[in-house]
PDB file of all heavy atoms in Angstrom:
ATOM      1  N   ARG A  44      68.948  16.143-135.600  1.00  0.00           N
ATOM      2  CA  ARG A  44      70.300  16.179-136.318  1.00  0.00           C
ATOM      3  C   ARG A  44      70.071  16.097-137.799  1.00  0.00           C
ATOM      4  O   ARG A  44      70.013  15.019-138.334  1.00  0.00           O
ATOM      5  CB  ARG A  44      71.193  15.161-135.767  1.00  0.00           C
ATOM      6  CG  ARG A  44      72.637  15.247-136.404  1.00  0.00           C
ATOM      7  CD  ARG A  44      73.555  14.232-135.729  1.00  0.00           C
ATOM      8  NE  ARG A  44      74.796  14.324-136.234  1.00  0.00           N
ATOM      9  CZ  ARG A  44      75.915  13.595-135.852  1.00  0.00           C
ATOM     10  NH1 ARG A  44      75.665  12.687-134.953  1.00  0.00           N
ATOM     11  NH2 ARG A  44      77.050  13.806-136.451  1.00  0.00           N
ATOM     12  N   ILE A  48      74.273  18.460-140.941  1.00  0.00           N
ATOM     13  CA  ILE A  48      75.197  18.645-139.815  1.00  0.00           C
ATOM     14  C   ILE A  48      76.303  17.591-139.836  1.00  0.00           C
ATOM     15  O   ILE A  48      75.935  16.384-139.926  1.00  0.00           O
ATOM     16  CB  ILE A  48      74.351  18.616-138.453  1.00  0.00           C
ATOM     17  CG1 ILE A  48      73.305  19.732-138.385  1.00  0.00           C
ATOM     18  CG2 ILE A  48      75.362  18.667-137.312  1.00  0.00           C
ATOM     19  CD1 ILE A  48      73.920  21.071-138.398  1.00  0.00           C
ATOM     20  N   GLY A  49      77.430  17.977-139.712  1.00  0.00           N
ATOM     21  CA  GLY A  49      78.577  16.999-139.769  1.00  0.00           C
ATOM     22  C   GLY A  49      79.182  16.721-141.054  1.00  0.00           C
ATOM     23  O   GLY A  49      80.145  15.986-141.184  1.00  0.00           O
ATOM     24  N   MET A  50      78.578  17.224-142.157  1.00  0.00           N
ATOM     25  CA  MET A  50      79.152  17.044-143.497  1.00  0.00           C
ATOM     26  C   MET A  50      80.402  17.904-143.653  1.00  0.00           C
ATOM     27  O   MET A  50      80.540  18.957-143.014  1.00  0.00           O
ATOM     28  CB  MET A  50      78.083  17.412-144.567  1.00  0.00           C
ATOM     29  CG  MET A  50      76.907  16.405-144.539  1.00  0.00           C
ATOM     30  SD  MET A  50      75.696  16.915-145.803  1.00  0.00           S
ATOM     31  CE  MET A  50      76.652  16.669-147.288  1.00  0.00           C
ATOM     32  N   VAL A  54      77.637  23.851-142.312  1.00  0.00           N
ATOM     33  CA  VAL A  54      77.817  25.046-141.601  1.00  0.00           C
ATOM     34  C   VAL A  54      78.394  24.881-140.238  1.00  0.00           C
ATOM     35  O   VAL A  54      79.276  25.533-139.839  1.00  0.00           O
ATOM     36  CB  VAL A  54      76.441  25.836-141.574  1.00  0.00           C
ATOM     37  CG1 VAL A  54      76.689  27.140-140.857  1.00  0.00           C
ATOM     38  CG2 VAL A  54      75.973  26.032-142.950  1.00  0.00           C
ATOM     39  N   TYR A  55      77.740  23.784-139.511  1.00  0.00           N
ATOM     40  CA  TYR A  55      78.297  23.562-138.174  1.00  0.00           C
ATOM     41  C   TYR A  55      78.889  22.179-138.101  1.00  0.00           C
ATOM     42  O   TYR A  55      78.344  21.235-138.750  1.00  0.00           O
ATOM     43  CB  TYR A  55      77.147  23.691-137.124  1.00  0.00           C
ATOM     44  CG  TYR A  55      76.453  25.063-137.129  1.00  0.00           C
ATOM     45  CD1 TYR A  55      75.231  25.251-137.589  1.00  0.00           C
ATOM     46  CD2 TYR A  55      77.168  26.116-136.542  1.00  0.00           C
ATOM     47  CE1 TYR A  55      74.620  26.533-137.556  1.00  0.00           C
ATOM     48  CE2 TYR A  55      76.641  27.349-136.469  1.00  0.00           C
ATOM     49  CZ  TYR A  55      75.381  27.584-136.966  1.00  0.00           C
ATOM     50  OH  TYR A  55      74.826  28.852-136.960  1.00  0.00           O
ATOM     51  N   GLU A  56      79.846  22.075-137.290  1.00  0.00           N
ATOM     52  CA  GLU A  56      80.315  20.763-136.993  1.00  0.00           C
ATOM     53  C   GLU A  56      79.417  20.013-135.980  1.00  0.00           C
ATOM     54  O   GLU A  56      78.800  20.664-135.230  1.00  0.00           O
ATOM     55  CB  GLU A  56      81.764  20.797-136.454  1.00  0.00           C
ATOM     56  CG  GLU A  56      82.743  21.345-137.479  1.00  0.00           C
ATOM     57  CD  GLU A  56      82.964  20.376-138.659  1.00  0.00           C
ATOM     58  OE1 GLU A  56      82.716  19.176-138.453  1.00  0.00           O
ATOM     59  OE2 GLU A  56      83.271  20.827-139.770  1.00  0.00           O
ATOM     60  N   ALA A  57      79.360  18.687-136.020  1.00  0.00           N
ATOM     61  CA  ALA A  57      78.505  18.009-135.130  1.00  0.00           C
ATOM     62  C   ALA A  57      78.815  18.167-133.672  1.00  0.00           C
ATOM     63  O   ALA A  57      78.035  18.135-132.783  1.00  0.00           O
ATOM     64  CB  ALA A  57      78.519  16.480-135.477  1.00  0.00           C
ATOM     65  N   ASN A  58      80.100  18.352-133.383  1.00  0.00           N
ATOM     66  CA  ASN A  58      80.503  18.512-131.956  1.00  0.00           C
ATOM     67  C   ASN A  58      80.836  19.973-131.542  1.00  0.00           C
ATOM     68  O   ASN A  58      81.463  20.247-130.545  1.00  0.00           O
ATOM     69  CB  ASN A  58      81.705  17.637-131.661  1.00  0.00           C
ATOM     70  CG  ASN A  58      81.344  16.098-131.853  1.00  0.00           C
ATOM     71  OD1 ASN A  58      80.272  15.743-131.602  1.00  0.00           O
ATOM     72  ND2 ASN A  58      82.337  15.358-132.337  1.00  0.00           N
ATOM     73  N   SER A  59      80.425  20.912-132.367  1.00  0.00           N
ATOM     74  CA  SER A  59      80.736  22.288-132.148  1.00  0.00           C
ATOM     75  C   SER A  59      79.821  22.910-131.038  1.00  0.00           C
ATOM     76  O   SER A  59      78.633  22.355-130.845  1.00  0.00           O
ATOM     77  CB  SER A  59      80.580  23.096-133.345  1.00  0.00           C
ATOM     78  OG  SER A  59      79.260  23.144-133.845  1.00  0.00           O
ATOM     79  N   PRO A  60      80.286  23.835-130.266  1.00  0.00           N
ATOM     80  CA  PRO A  60      79.410  24.526-129.212  1.00  0.00           C
ATOM     81  C   PRO A  60      78.158  25.083-129.751  1.00  0.00           C
ATOM     82  O   PRO A  60      77.115  25.054-129.239  1.00  0.00           O
ATOM     83  CB  PRO A  60      80.334  25.509-128.610  1.00  0.00           C
ATOM     84  CG  PRO A  60      81.660  25.068-128.864  1.00  0.00           C
ATOM     85  CD  PRO A  60      81.611  24.338-130.238  1.00  0.00           C
ATOM     86  N   GLU A  61      78.195  25.698-130.976  1.00  0.00           N
ATOM     87  CA  GLU A  61      77.074  26.342-131.563  1.00  0.00           C
ATOM     88  C   GLU A  61      75.936  25.238-131.829  1.00  0.00           C
ATOM     89  O   GLU A  61      74.761  25.611-131.743  1.00  0.00           O
ATOM     90  CB  GLU A  61      77.413  27.006-132.933  1.00  0.00           C
ATOM     91  CG  GLU A  61      78.402  28.214-132.721  1.00  0.00           C
ATOM     92  CD  GLU A  61      79.800  27.707-132.648  1.00  0.00           C
ATOM     93  OE1 GLU A  61      80.067  26.564-132.611  1.00  0.00           O
ATOM     94  OE2 GLU A  61      80.711  28.661-132.599  1.00  0.00           O
ATOM     95  N   TYR A  62      76.422  24.082-132.261  1.00  0.00           N
ATOM     96  CA  TYR A  62      75.342  23.038-132.530  1.00  0.00           C
ATOM     97  C   TYR A  62      74.579  22.637-131.212  1.00  0.00           C
ATOM     98  O   TYR A  62      73.277  22.571-131.301  1.00  0.00           O
ATOM     99  CB  TYR A  62      76.039  21.774-133.013  1.00  0.00           C
ATOM    100  CG  TYR A  62      75.130  20.621-133.168  1.00  0.00           C
ATOM    101  CD1 TYR A  62      74.199  20.506-134.198  1.00  0.00           C
ATOM    102  CD2 TYR A  62      75.226  19.471-132.192  1.00  0.00           C
ATOM    103  CE1 TYR A  62      73.341  19.411-134.265  1.00  0.00           C
ATOM    104  CE2 TYR A  62      74.371  18.424-132.349  1.00  0.00           C
ATOM    105  CZ  TYR A  62      73.457  18.395-133.369  1.00  0.00           C
ATOM    106  OH  TYR A  62      72.629  17.239-133.465  1.00  0.00           O
ATOM    107  N   TYR A  63      75.192  22.472-130.062  1.00  0.00           N
ATOM    108  CA  TYR A  63      74.577  22.119-128.862  1.00  0.00           C
ATOM    109  C   TYR A  63      73.584  23.320-128.341  1.00  0.00           C
ATOM    110  O   TYR A  63      72.548  23.080-127.836  1.00  0.00           O
ATOM    111  CB  TYR A  63      75.548  21.764-127.773  1.00  0.00           C
ATOM    112  CG  TYR A  63      76.182  20.444-127.984  1.00  0.00           C
ATOM    113  CD1 TYR A  63      77.528  20.313-128.398  1.00  0.00           C
ATOM    114  CD2 TYR A  63      75.439  19.243-127.773  1.00  0.00           C
ATOM    115  CE1 TYR A  63      78.018  19.049-128.587  1.00  0.00           C
ATOM    116  CE2 TYR A  63      75.967  18.061-128.031  1.00  0.00           C
ATOM    117  CZ  TYR A  63      77.295  17.972-128.405  1.00  0.00           C
ATOM    118  OH  TYR A  63      77.816  16.734-128.590  1.00  0.00           O
ATOM    119  N   VAL A  64      74.017  24.588-128.586  1.00  0.00           N
ATOM    120  CA  VAL A  64      73.223  25.673-128.216  1.00  0.00           C
ATOM    121  C   VAL A  64      71.932  25.696-129.030  1.00  0.00           C
ATOM    122  O   VAL A  64      70.805  25.862-128.608  1.00  0.00           O
ATOM    123  CB  VAL A  64      73.997  26.984-128.410  1.00  0.00           C
ATOM    124  CG1 VAL A  64      73.027  28.215-128.247  1.00  0.00           C
ATOM    125  CG2 VAL A  64      75.137  27.081-127.405  1.00  0.00           C
ATOM    126  N   VAL A  66      70.550  23.077-130.494  1.00  0.00           N
ATOM    127  CA  VAL A  66      69.678  21.945-130.134  1.00  0.00           C
ATOM    128  C   VAL A  66      68.884  22.246-128.817  1.00  0.00           C
ATOM    129  O   VAL A  66      67.651  21.956-128.826  1.00  0.00           O
ATOM    130  CB  VAL A  66      70.562  20.645-129.916  1.00  0.00           C
ATOM    131  CG1 VAL A  66      69.668  19.520-129.255  1.00  0.00           C
ATOM    132  CG2 VAL A  66      71.089  20.152-131.264  1.00  0.00           C
TER     133      VAL A  66
END
Side-chain angles (χ1 to χ4, degrees):
R44 186 174 179 178
I48 298 297
M50 295 179 62
V54 180
Y55 297 110
E56 294 294 335
N58 296 324
S59 64
E61 293 84 355
Y62 171 75
Y63 286 108
V64 171
V66 169

